[in-house]
Amino acid sequence: MNREIFRVVCAMMLSCIGASAAQATDLRVDAVLTGTGIPSGMESSRKGGTLVETVYVSGDSNRVRVDFRLSSRLRGRIYRDGDHSVLRLPSGRTLPANWLHLGARVRFPLHAPCFHLGFVCHKQGEREIAGRRVLGWRYREAGRQGPQGTDQGTFWLDAKTGVVLAFEGRDVAGLTYVMHAVAVRDSTLPAQWFELPKPAGRNASGADGASRQP
């Protein structure tokens, strides 16, 4: 077998092994997301806004739930199951959420994490975040495939699950994003927590004051 072909096959095998290892446990991550790409509400700020989120990751599937708060009025919940995403607002209104980047990339294979997405990552060593050992990877020319739809930056994966516990990145428009976990814990989460509500559009109460979402 040609050496180059052998290298590619090994990378694909490691990517699959990493994906399996990263799906062994449910995880809860409390985190803060800042940057110029985050709306700053009514305030005028070149630094952007601050979003607080709790990410629930199912260990045996592609299901993710993100509870987020941008302000007392701008908050909601995103459900993701593979290619299907739903946004639920506090009023009970539900909308398709495939256009949102929040929570779209929360877990990567531990080995060759960018391979299956079609761009290149380079190792950036190890560190500790929220009491967990994490592995760093630098990425470029990712289009919108990086965390929060970023094109370039560095992300840090939990060494046990492959879940993103921190990243610093920039999207194709030059907007910046910085996320870091403040608390992480393994959990056994109820399956119903991840069930996608059916999109129902605007409810009978009309506008709920949360139309601007990150």
Side-chain angles (χ1 to χ4, degrees), residues 28-50:
R28 169 178 170 156
V29 179
D30 296 303
V32 177
L33 179 63
T34 60
T36 59
I38 305 300
S40 57
M42 300 301 294
E43 300 176 2
S44 177
S45 173
R46 294 182 179 180
K47 296 182 179 180
T50 298

Side-chain angles (χ1 to χ4, degrees), residues 13-25:
M13 292 176 64
L14 287 172
S15 178
C16 292
I17 292 172
S20 299
Q23 297 178 357
T25 184

Side-chain angles (χ1 to χ4, degrees), residues 39 68 78-80 83-89 93-104 144 148-149 177 199 210-214:
F68 66 91
I78 296 173
Y79 298 84
R80 297 190 183 277
D83 294 330
H84 302 286
S85 303
V86 175
L87 168 65
R88 185 179 182 87
L89 301 175
R93 180 186 178 191
T94 57
L95 299 167
N98 290 340
W99 52 278
L100 287 170
H101 293 297
L102 187 65
R144 299 181 183 275
Q148 194 59 32
Y177 301 86
S211 60
R212 185 184 184 188
Q213 300 297 334

Side-chain angles (χ1 to χ4, degrees), residues 80-135:
R80 297 190 183 277
D81 189 351
D83 294 330
H84 302 286
S85 303
V86 175
L87 168 65
R88 185 179 182 87
L89 301 175
S91 65
R93 180 186 178 191
T94 57
L95 299 167
N98 290 340
W99 52 278
L100 287 170
H101 293 297
L102 187 65
R105 290 275 181 260
V106 302
R107 179 167 51 193
F108 290 79
L110 290 171
H111 301 279
C114 305
F115 183 83
H116 68 298
L117 295 174
F119 58 95
V120 177
C121 291
H122 300 282
K123 290 183 178 180
Q124 293 294 295
E126 301 182 12
R127 53 187 282 204
E128 186 174 293
I129 296 175
R132 312 276 293 209
R133 185 171 71 92
V134 295
L135 312 174

Side-chain angles (χ1 to χ4, degrees), residues 30-35 37-39 48-55 66-71 74-76 78 102-103 148 178-180 213-214:
D30 296 303
V32 177
L33 179 63
T34 60
I38 305 300
T50 298
L51 181 146
V52 178
E53 63 178 351
T54 298
V55 183
V66 182
D67 296 357
F68 66 91
R69 185 178 75 255
L70 186 59
S71 71
L74 301 178
R75 64 189 189 278
I78 296 173
L102 187 65
Q148 194 59 32
V178 179
M179 173 268 201
H180 66 276
Q213 300 297 334

